[in-house]
Amino acid sequence: MRIAAGLIFAGAVSLCASGVAWSQTPAPKSAAAPQAAPAPAPAAAPAPAKPVCANPNALGIARTVEIDTTGGPGFGFEHFKQLDFLRDHEVVLTFDDGPWPLNTPSVLKTLAEECTTGVFFPIGKHSTYYPEILKQVAAAGHTIGSHTWSHATLTNKKLTEDQRKEEIEKGFSAVKWALGASPSPFFRFPALQHPPEMVTYLGTRNIAMFSCDLDSFDFKARDAKQVIDVTMKKLDKLGKGIILMHDFHKHTAEALPELLHRFKAGGYKVVKMIAKTPVQTIAQYDDEILKDAKLPTVSSRPVSSVVQTISE
Ligand SMILES: [Zn+2]
């Protein structure tokens, strides 16, 4: 396969071996869990109108590239070295593991202030907990892919091939459910662990894979300063690249305003990546999300029908 041949494993030591510290306890599914299916999804999210940028010194967006995901191309030199499309001093901002309260909205606020954009790789489960936050990501015009259903490491030998496919497919179906529209066919493997047979599978599904060129290591940072220092040091060395961050993490959200200022000051320019066509989800997994979403069963009767004042 063309795809498998293009995959270059970086070995045990990886600059981008990130996401492994994903250990925050997910929110309980009760109150925030989806109760009903949204209206039937259109084929793709409508393209939001280009907002006017109120900040004359904003980082902005230098150019937009459209990706034809046929055959499942791979991006990010840490694992995929075929597609070298970024010019000197160009960066792509990517954010994993959301949507999450406070931190994702904070990242969105900073990106909006700088009139710039990123590619988000949400976790399927998180998307079902906080669909309204994911909708805000889409409404702001950012690109959204997927990062599996439950952030399982897909090289885990305990998982069967079907379970690994389910992680991938249910992730996309969950994001589609949350958005009410199909996301981009952009996928990032948790912890950047790429089992070869799943790389081949994603190729057959015409889903692009995103490793990274440089990792902010924000998930291990002590504070925002460390996120900034590590990222700038690596970026100044490489001169360009797809940058891996996590909108899930507080320190990333705190670091982002200063980090984007430093990008601007360093002459770096942001490239927006969009997909030529949305992902085609599989009905079986869309149905599984709907089934999950119906639990627990809660009465939808209006409060006035349930609670009556009988004396005051
Ligand atoms: Zn992750």
Side-chain angles (χ1 to χ4, degrees):
M1 284 289 294
R2 179 171 76 79
I3 305 312
L7 181 72
I8 298 166
F9 288 95
V13 179
S14 165
L15 284 176
C16 296
S18 137
V20 286
W22 184 80
S23 59
Q24 200 158 333
T25 308
K29 208 175 168 183
S30 57
Q35 300 298 325
K50 196 176 177 203
V52 177
C53 184
N55 176 2
N57 299 314
L59 180 61
I61 299 170
R63 66 178 174 125
T64 300
V65 295
E66 184 182 82
I67 307 302
D68 179 347
T69 63
T70 307
F75 296 98
F77 262 41
E78 197 58 42
H79 295 87
F80 305 101
K81 298 191 190 289
Q82 280 185 329
L83 299 169
D84 185 12
F85 73 99
L86 289 177
R87 300 167 188 159
D88 184 40
H89 274 64
E90 283 188 339
V91 294
V92 176
L93 312 179
T94 68
F95 298 96
D96 292 7
D97 295 2
W100 205 253
L102 301 177
N103 301 335
T104 302
S106 171
V107 165
L108 292 179
K109 181 169 178 282
T110 304
L111 293 175
E113 283 165 0
E114 291 294 331
C115 306
T116 194
T117 194
V119 184
F120 286 73
F121 293 98
I123 293 170
K125 277 188 179 177
H126 289 184
S127 305
T128 64
Y129 302 153
Y130 305 112
E132 71 288 353
I133 298 177
L134 197 62
K135 283 193 176 87
Q136 289 170 24
V137 178
H142 303 299
T143 300
I144 302 177
S146 178
H147 191 44
T148 71
W149 165 243
S150 72
H151 209 269
T153 302
L154 298 187
T155 45
N156 182 345
K157 299 257 186 292
K158 286 182 187 156
L159 294 177
T160 64
E161 184 151 337
D162 281 351
Q163 285 172 322
R164 284 185 275 181
K165 284 181 185 170
E166 180 172 330
E167 274 289 323
I168 292 169
E169 299 296 352
K170 220 170 143 180
F172 277 107
S173 290
V175 173
K176 179 183 173 184
W177 179 91
L179 292 175
S182 291
S184 299
F186 291 175
F187 178 78
R188 181 171 269 149
F189 284 99
L192 299 182
Q193 295 296 303
H194 300 68
E197 64 277 21
M198 288 301 109
V199 171
T200 303
Y201 174 71
L202 287 165
T204 67
R205 293 279 289 114
N206 299 320
I207 293 170
M209 285 154 273
F210 281 69
S211 175
C212 69
D213 293 294
L214 67 103
D215 195 335
S216 64
F217 278 118
D218 55 352
F219 63 100
K220 333 176 146 171
R222 284 187 306 273
D223 52 26
K225 183 179 179 301
Q226 194 175 11
V227 177
I228 296 164
D229 290 347
V230 168
T231 305
M232 289 312 300
K233 193 173 169 202
K234 289 181 177 176
L235 184 55
D236 286 338
K237 188 164 171 235
L238 287 174
K240 64 176 187 177
I242 297 172
I243 302 172
L244 172 52
M245 295 175 275
H246 295 83
D247 56 309
F248 178 66
H249 283 294
K250 182 166 167 271
H251 292 151
T252 311
E254 290 169 349
L256 204 58
E258 173 63 16
L259 191 58
L260 297 191
H261 290 161
R262 298 275 290 271
F263 288 170
K264 173 88 176 174
Y268 293 102
K269 295 177 156 73
V270 172
V271 173
K272 178 179 175 113
M273 294 181 78
I274 61 170
K276 196 171 175 188
T277 52
V279 72
Q280 298 287 321
T281 58
I282 296 175
Q284 173 198 341
Y285 299 101
D286 291 346
D287 291 347
E288 277 188 36
I289 297 294
L290 288 181
K291 233 186 300 169
D292 288 358
K294 283 188 183 128
L295 298 171
T297 311
V298 176
S299 168
S300 58
R301 283 161 57 206
V303 64
S304 59
S305 123
V306 179
V307 183
Q308 290 282 337
T309 303
I310 55 167
S311 72
E312 279 189 90

